[in-house]
Amino acid sequence: MTTAALNNLWAYINGLTLTANERQWLAGKLTDDVINQEVGNKNEKATKQLPDSFKRLRGMGCVTPDDIANDDRLAYILSK
């Protein structure tokens, strides 16, 4: 898309009467799409080299049984 087209799209979105929840939903959809495209374009080796803090931010973190055993709050949340 050209800059002009993106500006027009932004003006259109701003012209909508979106609630805060609707804006948050839209932002989430755009963010998820970008993350999925980035992950799809990169190979597994490059993904493994990311720092753990960045993996958690991108939704790539994992919870091990040891994590659950050592964290009462986490165990409580996951039990719900």
Side-chain angles (χ1 to χ4, degrees):
M1 280 183 112
T2 65
T3 302
L6 289 172
N7 285 333
N8 288 337
L9 177 59
W10 182 246
Y12 172 76
I13 291 171
N14 278 330
L16 298 173
T17 54
L18 298 174
T19 65
N21 286 339
E22 291 167 339
R23 286 179 179 266
Q24 189 173 15
W25 176 87
L26 180 59
K29 286 292 188 180
L30 290 169
T31 304
D32 290 345
D33 189 49
V34 169
I35 290 170
N36 290 337
Q37 285 179 1
E38 287 177 356
V39 170
N41 292 337
K42 293 183 179 178
N43 63 27
E44 181 101 336
K45 183 178 177 183
T47 304
K48 288 182 179 179
Q49 294 174 355
L50 296 173
D52 287 342
S53 59
F54 191 73
K55 287 180 183 179
R56 281 192 297 277
L57 288 174
R58 294 190 56 191
M60 296 170 55
C62 65
V63 178
T64 64
D66 289 336
D67 293 335
I68 297 170
N70 295 330
D71 190 338
D72 293 335
R73 292 177 298 174
L74 180 59
Y76 172 77
I77 291 168
L78 294 176
S79 70
K80 297 296 173 182

